[in-house]
Amino acid sequence: MIKEKLKKWILAYKWVWLAVAVMAAAEALFDVAEILVGQVMKGTNALRPKTGRLWLEEEKDLAGQQQVLLIVDSLSNNPFRSGPLNSLEELTAYLHYKNFLRLQREDFLSLYQALPDSDARRLVDAQALAALMSSSAWQSVNLISSDGQMTLIFNDSNNQPLLVTQPFAPPPPEVEPSVTSQLQQDGRFSGRLVEPAHFLAAYQRLPRRLQLQVINDPAFMEKKAEEWVMVAIAASLRSGSVTLACEVREEQSSVIHTFQASELAIGYLIQEINVLRRGAEPLALPSKETTP
């Protein structure tokens, strides 16, 4: 009885079941065809012309990525600074960011000629350099800094060494004699004082845009080095800025000028100062001021 009813029900809806079976088969065939077309497209992707909006957008994206990689690679080989190197002390600070630096022959000679005689002789013996200059084989110089010592490797066009200098320790930065200043008596700047020589040298290493974010008065920075008494950097941030106090001689007394520097610029400035004050306790970055 039940079998008869089931048979009648199946026969009554046979067209529905047939339609479902056809749709299922069609869906399966469509999936297979889609996979096959995808594989064919993937296999012939390199052969088809790269035209259309999507290809153009992808090319722009790849070009942008390549440009970023080139910039990052350039920055990794060229430490962050601006202006020429004028002393062995500055060269040492320059190498602090990157233990390895390569200079082409002409660039090294320009640096060598710009250095004082005493510093130049410490880099490489004049007779040895003259012998290298008489040969066209010398093409570049590798400057390597390790454990506070510097080594120079003079290479040919295949980067094979022609001369390796003995490691030497560059002279420590010269610090002007400390003088009594008003900032030394100000408890707000306890442990935050910076010698003018270090401040001015660090300031000169910053790009122009960051210099203006440290002291937005170019005329003030035209003061002579001997007019500076002391510099202090506040220990905390306030509304995204840091107080910078500069004590300078004016007439017969010293005067303190304060500036509100940006957090970013002060960060780079302190980084440069710590390089120059190697061996001394590093100056900490300002912290955000907490409200009670």
Side-chain angles (χ1 to χ4, degrees):
M1 187 70 177
I2 297 176
K3 290 183 178 180
E4 290 294 330
K5 289 183 178 181
L6 180 61
K7 184 177 180 181
K8 291 180 179 180
W9 183 78
I10 293 175
L11 290 174
Y13 293 97
K14 63 180 179 180
W15 296 111
V16 175
W17 293 112
L18 180 61
V20 171
V22 171
M23 291 177 61
E27 179 67 21
L29 289 174
F30 180 80
D31 290 343
V32 172
E34 187 177 26
I35 293 173
L36 291 176
V37 171
Q39 293 297 323
V40 172
M41 295 287 287
K42 182 179 180 181
T44 60
N45 191 46
L47 303 177
R48 289 180 286 109
K50 297 180 180 180
T51 58
R53 184 180 63 84
L54 292 178
W55 277 114
L56 292 176
E57 293 299 326
E58 183 174 352
E59 287 181 354
K60 290 180 182 179
D61 185 55
L62 291 175
Q65 292 179 10
Q66 185 64 26
Q67 186 174 8
V68 170
L69 290 175
L70 290 173
I71 293 173
V72 171
D73 182 66
S74 173
L75 289 174
S76 66
N77 288 284
N78 296 280
F80 178 71
R81 66 161 286 115
S82 62
L85 296 166
N86 297 310
S87 68
L88 190 55
E89 177 183 324
E90 292 190 358
L91 177 60
T92 304
Y94 186 69
L95 283 173
H96 175 78
Y97 295 94
K98 187 79 173 178
N99 293 331
F100 170 84
L101 175 67
R102 174 174 295 168
L103 293 176
Q104 295 302 314
R105 173 178 175 142
E106 295 76 11
D107 295 333
F108 177 79
L109 290 175
S110 297
L111 169 63
Y112 188 85
Q113 294 170 0
L115 295 176
D117 290 342
S118 58
D119 287 349
R121 286 194 297 270
R122 290 179 66 87
L123 280 181
V124 59
D125 180 73
Q127 292 184 351
L129 181 61
L132 288 169
M133 293 175 61
S134 64
S135 171
S136 60
W138 170 40
Q139 296 296 322
S140 64
V141 182
N142 293 344
L143 294 95
I144 302 172
S145 177
S146 177
D147 297 328
Q149 293 191 321
M150 188 184 304
T151 303
L152 279 68
I153 303 177
F154 295 81
N155 305 311
D156 60 16
S157 58
N158 296 319
N159 291 326
Q160 296 300 312
L162 300 171
L163 172 68
V164 180
T165 65
Q166 291 294 325
F168 69 94
E174 295 183 0
V175 180
E176 293 183 354
S178 299
V179 296
T180 302
S181 73
Q182 298 179 49
L183 289 175
Q184 288 176 322
Q185 313 302 320
D186 194 329
R188 296 175 302 171
F189 298 109
S190 177
R192 308 290 299 178
L193 300 179
V194 180
E195 293 286 345
H198 289 157
F199 169 78
L200 295 174
Y203 177 87
Q204 291 300 323
R205 292 194 174 106
L206 299 180
R208 183 62 174 171
R209 62 181 180 84
L210 290 182
Q211 290 180 349
L212 293 175
Q213 293 180 43
V214 173
I215 294 180
N216 59 355
D217 184 359
F220 184 82
M221 294 306 301
E222 294 179 0
K223 294 181 178 295
K224 297 179 180 180
E226 55 267 24
E227 295 181 274
W228 290 74
V229 178
M230 190 62 66
V231 179
I233 302 175
S236 60
L237 292 165
R238 178 174 295 180
S239 300
S241 63
V242 183
T243 299
L244 177 72
C246 302
E247 185 176 354
V248 295
R249 295 186 182 92
E250 294 182 2
E251 301 296 336
Q252 301 298 322
S253 61
S254 62
V255 179
I256 297 175
H257 297 263
T258 59
F259 302 90
Q260 295 303 313
S262 75
E263 179 182 2
L264 174 67
I266 283 293
Y268 279 111
L269 179 71
I270 290 177
Q271 182 175 326
E272 296 283 1
I273 290 172
N274 288 336
V275 170
L276 293 171
R277 300 201 315 183
R278 180 178 296 179
E281 183 178 355
L283 187 65
L285 294 174
S287 58
K288 292 185 179 180
E289 192 173 58
T290 56
T291 55

